[in-house]
Amino acid sequence: MAALPYIQLYVADYLADTAHLSTLEHGAYLLLIMNYWQRGKPLPDNDERLARICRLTDEQWREVRDNIREFFEEQDGQLIHARIDRDLAAVMD
C-alpha cells in the first residue's frame, strides 16, 4: 500500500484523550499512530519493534509502555487502534 498523504488529527479529541501523557509519551504515541497510518495496518504487539518505531531505548519504552498501550487493543498479536481504523476505512472508500 502506498503511503497516504495525510492523517487527520482532531486536536481537541487528541488533547482530551492524552492530557495525562508526558512529553516523551506524546512523542511515542504520535510516532506509533503515524506508523500505523502510513502502513495502513495494525502494529505488531512486540516491545522491541514498538520501541524502535518510537525511537526509544528498550528501557525508555518500558517506562512509557503502559500509558501508551491503553490507546490500543491487543488482538491476535497485533495492536489495534479503533479511531485510526475508522479513519483509514473512510479514506479508502
Side-chain angles (χ1 to χ4, degrees), residues 27-65:
Y29 180 48
L30 285 167
L31 286 168
L32 289 174
I33 62 176
M34 286 188 276
N35 183 274
Y36 194 122
W37 182 265
Q38 187 171 17
R39 294 172 59 233
K41 61 184 180 180
L43 299 167
D45 186 11
N46 176 294
D47 284 335
E48 185 176 310
R49 291 274 300 125
L50 295 170
R52 287 187 59 80
I53 291 168
C54 295
R55 299 174 176 99
L56 297 176
T57 65
D58 291 340
E59 181 180 343
Q60 289 171 315
W61 171 249
R62 284 190 300 274
E63 291 175 12
V64 302
R65 179 182 188 268

